[in-house]
Amino acid sequence: MAEHRYDPHEIEPRWQAVWANERTWEVSNEPLEDTRAELRAAPGASGAQGGRASDSYVLEMLPYPSGEPHIGHLKTYSVGDAIAHFRRRRGARVLHPMGYDAFGLPAENHAIKTGVHPRDSTAESIASFRRQFHSWGISIDWSRELATDEPSYYRWTQWIFLELFRAGLAYRKEAAVKWCPNDQTVLANEQVDAEGRCERCGALVEVKQLEQWFFRITDYAERLLGDLDEIDWPEHVKTMQRNWIGRSEGAEVTFRCEELGVDYPVFTTRPDTLFGATFFVMAPEHPDVARLALGTGHEHAVREYVNRALNETNEERGNAEKPKTGVPLGRTVTNPVNGEQIPMYVADYVLMEYGTGAIMAVPGHDERDYAFARAFELPVRRVIEGAPEDGGDEQGLPYAGDGALVNSRPDFDGLPNREALRAIVSWLDREGKGHASVNYRLRDWLVSRQRYWGTPIPIVYCERCGIVPVPVEQLPVELPEIEDYTPMGRSPLAGAEGWVNTSCPQCGGSARRETDTMDTFVDSSWYFLRYCDARNERAAWDPAALRQWLPVDQYIGGVEHAILHLMYARFFTKALADLGQLDFQEPFQALFTQGMVTKDGAKMSKSKGNVVSPAAIVERMGADTARCYILFVGPPDQDAEWSDEGMEGVHRFLSRLWRLAAETAERGGAGDHSPSAADLGEDDLTLLRKTHWAIDKVSGDLRRFAFNTAIAAVMELLNDCSRLRDSVELQTLGFALASAASLLFPFAPHVSADAYERLTSERVWEQPWPDAEESLLESDSYELVCQVNGKVRDRVQASAGAGSEELKDLCRAAPNVIAHVDGREIVKEIVVPGKLVNLVVR
Ligand SMILES: [Zn+2]
Ligand SMILES: [Zn+2]
C-alpha cells in the first residue's frame, strides 16, 4: 500500500484552481423562485429543505487594505465562509462578495512620509489581500469585487451625498470641531477616545471652529433606536447603540440674556427644579462664550479659561469628584419661571456635546452644581422636600430624591415633584418659554475631512449662487493629482489650483470646488448595496438587484464597529429608503461579532512583538489548518488566545483524516451512501451511530455559530474511525470518513473536498448538507430513576438493552440509594423497564 502523506501545499492550490477556473462561487442576479419570506421566518436556519432554491446574503465587513491581512481578518473570513458554505449546502444561493475600504489616513500618512501615491500603496495592499484571500480558499464571488477609491465606486458615493443634500440631510454649518494637531484634521466625536485623544495617533485633541459638512443623523435618532427591536443582533451591540443614541426625556427651557437680546435654550430632565436655578453655565466650546464676555472686563480670563479647558478630557471634565472651576461671563439671564436674573459662568463641567451646551444650575438638587455653588459662594435653594441623603450638607442638600415642591410658586408648592414637573412644562408651553422635549446624546455626523485621500465632496461655491451641487451627469468629481499631501490646516486639495477653480454649474461664472473630502465611514455606509450590482455604470444599483439580495441575511465583523459603521450604515439605509431608493429599513438582519485573537494574553501588535501573521501560518501548515484552528480555539464570538501547540494539534487531526480517507479509498472503501443498519455488527452500528450523532451535532452547532464544538465533534468521529478501522466493514468506515469530510468542509474546505472526492468521486460542495437519521440518534442508554419506598433517591445510566436483574443491581448500587436503604431489609423490588426501579424497605 502506498505511503500517504498529507500535503496541504499540493492539495490547496489544486482545489483553489478548480474553484477559480469554474467560478464556483459566482452567483447571478437572475431571480429564483421566491422563498425568502419563508427563510426569514426561521432566523439562523436559512437554507431550504428538499432542494428548493433560495437566496442568502452572507457578508463580512469589508477590510481596510493596509499592509497585509492580519489574524483578525483570518478569523472574520473563516467565520463568514463557514456560514456561507453551510447555507449553500442547505440549498441557498449565497451572495458572498469582497471589496476594500480603500480611502483613509494610513495610506495618506504613508504618502506624506515616502511620497508614494496613496493609490499605489493602496493598490499594492489590495493585491496582497486578494492574493491571501485566494490562498485561504475563501469562497468569494470575485465578479463583484470593488474598492471604494475607484471613481466607478465613489461616483455613486457622491451621488448619495447629493441625494442627502437635496433632502436637507447634508448641510453645512460652523461648528466647534475636534481637531487632531498631529493628523491636521477634524475628527468625529467617535474618533476621539475616552481620554480625549485621537483614536488613530493618540495625540491630544483640540477644538477649532470651522465650516463643516454634516449629515443629519439626529433626525433618525428615534427610528435608529426603535428599529433595534426588529433585528437579530447581539444584545450588547444593541445596548451600545442605545447608549450612543442616549435618549432622555425632559424639557427645553429658554433663558434670555436681556443685555444682548439672545435666547439660550437649555435641556433639562428636571424642569420640576426650575425654581431652584440660581446660576447658568455654558460649555467652554459654546460659540457665544467670547461674545458674551466682550466688554465685561472678563474677556481675558474667559479666553484663558476656555483654552485651558479644551485640553482636558471629557472624562475629567465630567467627573463629579473633581474640584469645580469656572469664570464669570459678566452677564445674567432671566429664569423664565420667576423672572430672576441669574449670573452666567463658563465652566468645564458642562459639555458641548450634551443638550445645548448650556445648563441651568440647580445646586440644591444636583451634585455638580452644588459643588460649583460652594466653590463660588452662590446661593443654594431647596425646592423639593425630602429626607436628608448620604453626603449632603446640614440641610440635606443636594437632594436628588422625590418629594413635594417648596419655595417655588403658590400654585406649584405642595405638589409631588413628578406631578409638578408636568404642570411646570405645560405652563412654560402656554407662556412660550419652553416645551416638553426629548434629548439625544447622538450628534449630527460630521463628514468633512481636511485630507486628500478620500471621496471629494461634489459641491462648488459660487459668489453669486452660493452652495451649488455638482450636476449628477458631471460625476464623478475625480481626485486631482497633487504634489504635496502634507496637511496645513486645510485640505491638501486646496493646493490643486487648476482643479479648485471651476465654473458654476448654475450661472457659468467662476466658482471654487469644495476642497474637503468625506469621512471614509461614508464610503462603507453603502458598499453592501453596490455588491448587488457592482458593474452598473448607469446607476448606483438596479432596484431589482437589491430586492434579490437585501437586506444582508448574516453580517459578520468586529464589535469595535458597534457604534460607528453599524450606526452609519443603518442611517444611510433609512435615509435612502425615505428617498425612495430602497424598500427596506435595516441593512443587516442578523449580526455576528467575532472575538479577538490574542497572543501572550494581549492584543497582537507590532510594538508588542506578538504578531502571528496569517501568511506565515499558511506557508507552514496550510490554509485549512489555519482556518480550522482559528475556529476551534474557542467560541468564535469570544476572545481567544493563540497557541502554536493548539494549531499543531489541528494540523495532526486534518492529516489523520486525510490519510485515513486516502487509505480507505485505496482499499475500496466507498463513502457515497449510508450502510443499512439492519444487518450490521456491533462495531459497525457503533460507528454508524457515531456518524449520525456527528451530523446532528455539527448541524446544530453551525446554526448557533458554535464552530469550536462542531469541529470537536468531527474529531470525535475521526477518533472512532481510527479505533474501529479494522473491525468494521469497509463501507461503514468509508461512509463515516466521507461524512467527517463533508461536515468539516465549511471549516477546512480543501482537505475536505480532497478526502471526500477520494471516497465518493463526488464534489462535496455540490452535495446537499447531510441529514442525520433519527432512528440512529436514539441513545443507547437512558437515565434510570432509583426510588426507595416510592421516593426518588438517585438516577443512574442504564443501557437500553439491560434486563430486570441488571436494573435492580444498578439501583441497589446507586450511592444515594445505599444511604437511604441504610442497612434495612429490602422486601420488594418493582421494575418498570426503561424507566425506574423502586425498592421497598422495612
Ligand atoms: Zn491624530
Ligand atoms: Zn453661480
Side-chain angles (χ1 to χ4, degrees), residues 289-451:
V289 163
R291 179 156 78 108
L292 281 159
L294 198 66
T296 64
H298 294 280
E299 301 95 315
H300 184 68
V302 166
R303 199 180 321 119
E304 276 213 326
Y305 182 79
V306 167
N307 280 341
R308 207 168 51 235
L310 297 184
N311 280 318
E312 288 176 289
T313 71
N314 277 2
E315 208 170 48
E316 279 166 15
R317 288 171 54 180
N319 181 1
E321 304 295 313
K322 182 178 169 274
K324 294 289 166 285
T325 61
V327 174
L329 287 167
R331 305 278 181 191
T332 60
V333 284
T334 310
N335 183 339
V337 291
N338 55 16
E340 281 179 8
Q341 293 298 306
I342 57 175
M344 299 177 85
Y345 286 81
V346 55
D348 63 2
Y349 78 98
V350 175
L351 302 177
M352 195 63 210
E353 286 91 1
Y354 186 78
T356 60
I359 63 153
M360 63 170 203
V362 184
H365 302 280
D366 179 273
E367 200 185 339
R368 285 177 297 177
D369 295 345
Y370 180 81
F372 190 90
R374 278 288 130 113
F376 288 78
E377 298 182 346
L378 291 159
V380 179
R381 185 187 303 155
R382 172 185 277 276
V383 291
I384 294 171
E385 278 185 326
E389 294 175 329
D390 286 348
D393 65 7
E394 59 281 357
Q395 294 159 300
L397 296 176
Y399 173 67
D402 290 328
L405 249 63
V406 291
N407 303 323
S408 295
R409 224 173 54 186
D411 48 336
F412 299 128
D413 280 343
L415 285 178
N417 67 306
R418 303 275 157 191
E419 208 176 297
L421 187 153
R422 286 187 289 275
I424 290 173
V425 172
S426 333
W427 181 85
L428 286 166
D429 211 355
R430 284 197 303 277
E431 298 288 316
K433 292 173 174 174
H435 52 86
S437 170
V438 172
N439 185 59
Y440 299 94
R441 186 172 166 270
L442 184 71
R443 306 278 88 186
D444 274 344
W445 176 9
L446 168 57
V447 295
S448 297
R449 293 291 179 276
Q450 290 70 48
R451 299 301 299 232

Side-chain angles (χ1 to χ4, degrees), residues 460-466 468 503-511:
V460 301
Y461 300 98
C462 168
E463 271 180 34
R464 244 187 296 174
C465 315
V468 182
S503 56
C504 170
Q506 253 168 46
C507 71
S510 68

Side-chain angles (χ1 to χ4, degrees), residues 674-677 688 692-693 695 735 771-778:
S674 179
S676 160
L688 189 60
H692 284 277
W693 166 84
I695 292 170
F735 176 70
D771 277 326
E773 223 172 279
E774 275 309 317
S775 63
L776 290 166
L777 288 178
E778 284 165 21

Side-chain angles (χ1 to χ4, degrees), residues 671 674-675 683-699 713-714 716-718 720-721 731-741 743 770-773 776-777:
S674 179
D683 283 354
D684 284 81
L685 199 56
T686 301
L687 188 56
L688 189 60
R689 281 184 192 281
K690 190 72 183 184
T691 306
H692 284 277
W693 166 84
I695 292 170
D696 185 57
K697 170 87 176 137
V698 174
S699 308
V714 182
E716 256 192 66
L717 172 59
L718 182 65
D720 276 17
C721 289
Q731 197 204 342
T732 312
L733 184 62
F735 176 70
L737 286 164
S739 300
L743 297 173
D771 277 326
E773 223 172 279
L776 290 166
L777 288 178

Side-chain angles (χ1 to χ4, degrees), residues 185 197 388 440 534 798:
T185 188
R197 289 177 187 279
Y440 299 94

